Amino acid sequence: MHQPEFHLRLPDWLIQHLNKPLPAFISDQQKMAWVIELSRHNSANDGGPFAAAVFDSSTNELISVGANLVIPTNCSVMHAEIVALIMAQQKTGRYHLEQNSEHSYELFSTTEPCAMCMGAIPWAGISRLVCGARDEDARKIGFDEGDKPDDWMKKFSQRNISVVRDLCRHEATQVLEQYAQQHGTLY
C-alpha cells in the first residue's frame, strides 16, 4: 500500500521575507513586533493568523521561524510554534535544543500556546516563552485551544521555563480580530 509523505517547507512568501535584511533583534519588543508582522503576512497569504520564532537568548540571533500551516498542509499539528521548533531543531541538529549546548533558546509566539504546543515546548528545550495575545483572545474569535491547566505558567516555571505574557497583546489581538472579520477558517 502506498503511504503518503510529508515534507515541511516554509511558504514562499516567508522564505522571500527571510531573504531580505533582518532587523536588529535587540529587545523583546522588537522581536515580538517582527513576529506579529509575520502573522499578518501569513494571514494575508491563506495561512492562519499565528507566527512564532526561536531566538538564541544570549545573542538575540534568529534561529528559526514558524507560521501556522494547518490549512495549506492539511495537517492539524502544523501550528506556528511547532513549525518554529521543528525548524530550530533541524538547524541546530538537536531534538532538545539545550541538550549539549552552551546556549539557551526562547520562543516568541503571537498567541499563548494551545494545549498541543504547550506540550511540545518543554520537550523541545525552550527556556523562555514570550507571548502576545492570550488564550482567551484566540478563543474569543472561535479557535479551539484545547484543555489547558489553569496553572500552566506555574508548571512551566517548575520546568525552568520562564513565561512573559501580553507583550504587544493589543497588536497581536488585532491580527486575530482582522482574521475573524475576513471570515478566515477556524480550525
Side-chain angles (χ1 to χ4, degrees):
M1 175 188 345
H2 173 71
Q3 295 296 313
E5 293 183 22
F6 186 88
H7 300 275
L8 178 58
R9 183 177 190 281
L10 294 175
D12 289 339
W13 72 264
L14 184 50
I15 293 169
Q16 291 169 1
H17 196 78
L18 292 170
N19 285 331
K20 297 176 185 175
L22 296 174
F25 297 115
I26 298 169
S27 71
D28 286 354
Q29 188 91 14
Q30 290 168 318
K31 293 173 189 174
M32 183 60 78
W34 187 76
V35 174
I36 290 170
E37 186 60 29
L38 293 181
S39 71
R40 282 190 187 96
H41 285 292
N42 198 51
S43 184
N45 285 281
D46 301 321
F50 306 100
V54 174
F55 293 90
D56 182 312
S57 299
S58 57
T59 65
N60 293 319
E61 176 191 0
L62 174 66
I63 303 301
S64 67
V65 297
N68 185 287
L69 302 176
V70 170
I71 295 170
T73 62
N74 291 312
C75 184
S76 62
V77 300
M78 288 293 102
H79 290 199
E81 298 94 332
I82 299 294
V83 173
L85 293 173
I86 290 170
M87 293 302 196
Q89 291 166 334
Q90 295 300 300
K91 183 173 182 177
T92 63
R94 292 189 300 275
Y95 63 85
H96 190 278
L97 295 171
E98 292 187 353
Q99 184 177 0
N100 302 322
S101 174
E102 298 174 3
H103 300 271
S104 61
Y105 298 91
E106 54 192 6
L107 176 66
F108 279 70
S109 180
T110 57
T111 305
E112 290 177 348
C114 70
M116 175 186 64
C117 295
M118 184 179 300
I121 290 168
W123 291 338
I126 294 296
S127 62
R128 184 169 179 250
L129 171 65
V130 181
C131 307
R134 286 197 180 191
D135 177 271
E136 63 235 37
D137 300 326
R139 289 181 193 273
K140 183 178 176 183
I141 68 162
F143 279 100
D144 179 359
E145 297 296 283
D147 296 327
K148 296 168 38 175
D150 292 335
D151 62 347
W152 69 271
M153 289 184 299
K154 180 180 177 186
K155 292 194 179 295
F156 270 27
S157 177
Q158 291 169 343
R159 289 177 161 261
N160 297 317
I161 301 169
S162 64
V163 177
V164 175
R165 296 172 89 186
D166 300 336
L167 184 62
C168 303
R169 181 180 180 186
H170 176 74
E171 294 85 348
T173 302
Q174 283 181 322
V175 176
L176 295 171
E177 291 170 349
Q178 184 178 25
Y179 185 81
Q181 290 168 357
Q182 295 172 345
H183 305 291
T185 303
L186 298 172
Y187 40 85

